[in-house]
Amino acid sequence: MTRTTWGIRRARRTTAPSGRTAALSGTVDAAALAAAITAAAGPDAGPVRHEGLRVTGALDLSHRRLDVRLALVDCVFEGPVDLTGLTVPALDLSGSALPALRADGIGVDGEVRLTGARLGDGNAQPRPMTDPSDTATGARAPRRLQEGTATGAVQLADARIGGNLVLDGLTVADAGAWSLLAPRLTVGGSLHARELTASGSLYLRDARVTYAVNLHAADVGGIDATGLVCSGGFYADWGFRSSGQVLLRAAEVGGVVTFHDAVLADPAGALLLSRLRVPRLRLDLREPPAGQVVLQDAAVGVLVDSEATWPAPGRLSLEGFAYQRLETERPVEVGSRVAWLTRDPRAGAGAFEQLARSYESGGDERAARTVRHARERHLSRHDRLSGRLWGYVQDVLFGYGYAPRRALVWLLSLVAAGSLWFAHHPPRPVGADGRRAWDPVLYSLDLLVPFGGLGYRGSWDPAGASKAVALVLVVAGWTLATAVVAGARRVLGRG
């Protein structure tokens, strides 16, 4: 056994039976630790593993190549750890505590593990990521970074990891806005961050993950995964919590994106999923989100949601959102689903038509007609006064073409009313040939039908109140016919 002095404290180094340097112990200087790691990482050496060290100073292993796996487990680093550009077969920092990890451009053939590690300056004050235009929620993190100036407690920009990136149980308590800063990160396996706790946000813009991103029960200040490509799934569920925005804009996920049982909490918990592409999307949250849910121009195969956790009116964006099928744990009435659409104040005809097509694909033609009827009502409310009045007439008479039986009821009701009146107030005949017998039903029907004619209208001449009744029937007939034609054209043109 030998003793060597590094810095201001003494550390113990033992020699393994094979003759190479084994683990250090006690308190060591960072420079001496780096030298020991480099010396022990020869081509024929086994894994380098150190446990329980207290490291003074800043450990710098940047731009080095190690041919053996490196494990610094349950260590306490008083200064930041710089692994920028390091090449190593595998890296394990599980259980360690360090102010910051700089590992931009690191290349790892196998796994990187920070399970149970603790990073940051100890400031656990939440730093939610909010809309840059929002000035009401206090401290904010910008969604667009100026790379080279932004910093994070864990930096993995352009990192290349051949296996899994394991951040399970990682705690980041830091005054900075970004807890994980990893643009263009490439992970050959999965990114596991179950029960991760971060005071700031995770920046995964343009990251590439071969399998899954697992954030079960994580608690973060927000996520920016714009442009993420993941062939497995994105699991922010089972107690996942974000106090800031979660961005998956223009992301492509091959399996499922799920926020089942997730909480998007105050002050700025929101989902921005515009242009997302995924076969299955679950939005059945634990409670309604604090902020917006933006699905504009997203395309999913199946949307699974919950009526109880729909966002508040005015906080939903659906225009251009395309889906093939809707699923819920409990059935949702078509009227409630229409109300879901109208929670988007800018919802246009396309949003209603998309919902109608989803009902049609499921074989529910009646629900599809109900949605298209509601679409016309919704669009009419935003028309000019004349358009709103004409829309009201069409709705009452014919349901904009989607309630044809209503027109028949109106026709039969008007014929019955006219027949009852003229049966007791027959008009005088025109001419004296007497070739046509008086029939109040046929006379009323002839007044109502604006085209063709049965010959009764010109054979009898009403007077006084009967003339007013006849005029009402003629105007009602023209109005009903115009509404029917307009509704039929609308159904054929849009439906």
Side-chain angles (χ1 to χ4, degrees), residues 73-104:
V73 178
D74 296 327
C75 297
V76 176
F77 296 87
E78 295 182 358
V81 175
D82 190 351
L83 305 180
T84 304
L86 173 69
T87 300
V88 64
L91 176 65
D92 189 354
L93 295 172
S94 296
S96 294
L98 51 157
L101 175 63
R102 309 283 183 256
D104 294 335

Side-chain angles (χ1 to χ4, degrees), residues 118-138:
R118 303 174 304 284
L119 283 99
D121 56 16
N123 188 337
Q125 181 68 28
R127 297 274 297 182
M129 184 172 65
T130 66
D131 192 312
S133 62
D134 184 4
T135 59
T137 54

Side-chain angles (χ1 to χ4, degrees), residues 22 74 90 117 132 137 181 231 274 292 326 359 381 408 411 417 461 478:
D74 296 327
T137 54
L181 192 59
S231 55
S274 55
Q292 289 183 308
L326 296 171
Y359 279 118
R381 293 191 188 102
L408 180 61
L411 179 63
D461 183 21
W478 276 102

Side-chain angles (χ1 to χ4, degrees), residues 208-383:
R208 301 290 184 269
V209 179
T210 300
Y211 296 108
V213 176
N214 296 315
L215 292 161
H216 308 298
D219 189 342
V220 300
I223 301 175
D224 187 348
T226 298
L228 170 72
V229 175
C230 176
S231 55
F234 186 94
Y235 301 90
D237 54 359
W238 295 112
F240 169 83
R241 181 183 180 88
S242 176
S243 58
Q245 293 183 330
V246 176
L247 283 70
L248 281 172
R249 297 179 300 184
E252 296 182 10
V253 182
V256 59
V257 171
T258 173
F259 294 92
H260 172 70
D261 193 45
V263 177
L264 301 173
D266 289 325
L271 283 177
L272 279 68
L273 309 179
S274 55
R275 305 188 307 281
L276 170 68
R277 301 290 184 268
V278 64
R280 188 176 183 86
L281 174 63
R282 292 198 67 166
L283 297 181
D284 46 348
L285 310 174
R286 181 181 296 180
E287 59 189 43
Q292 289 183 308
V293 174
V294 178
L295 295 166
Q296 186 173 359
D297 297 323
V300 307
V302 181
L303 171 65
V304 182
D305 64 358
S306 170
E307 183 178 1
T309 62
W310 286 345
R315 293 185 174 180
L316 181 64
S317 178
L318 293 170
E319 194 61 28
F321 178 40
Y323 48 90
Q324 296 179 6
R325 192 169 76 252
L326 296 171
E327 289 185 6
T328 54
E329 183 178 347
R330 296 180 179 179
V332 176
E333 298 293 334
V334 63
S336 298
R337 189 56 79 175
V338 169
W340 172 68
L341 290 182
T342 58
R343 293 186 181 214
D344 179 1
R346 296 179 297 177
F352 285 85
E353 185 60 26
Q354 171 62 63
L355 179 59
R357 286 198 298 266
S358 72
Y359 279 118
E360 281 182 335
S361 65
D364 195 343
E365 294 288 344
R366 178 176 295 181
R369 288 196 302 270
T370 300
V371 173
R372 292 189 171 111
H373 186 183
R375 173 191 64 192
E376 300 303 330
R377 285 178 171 173
H378 179 74
L379 296 178
S380 178
R381 293 191 188 102
H382 302 283
D383 207 344

Side-chain angles (χ1 to χ4, degrees), residues 8 58 117 155 161 171 201 244 253 295 331 340 351 372 412 494:
I8 60 173
Q155 293 187 190
I161 300 171
T171 300
S201 303
V253 182
L295 295 166
W340 172 68
R372 292 189 171 111
L412 295 177
R494 292 185 179 177

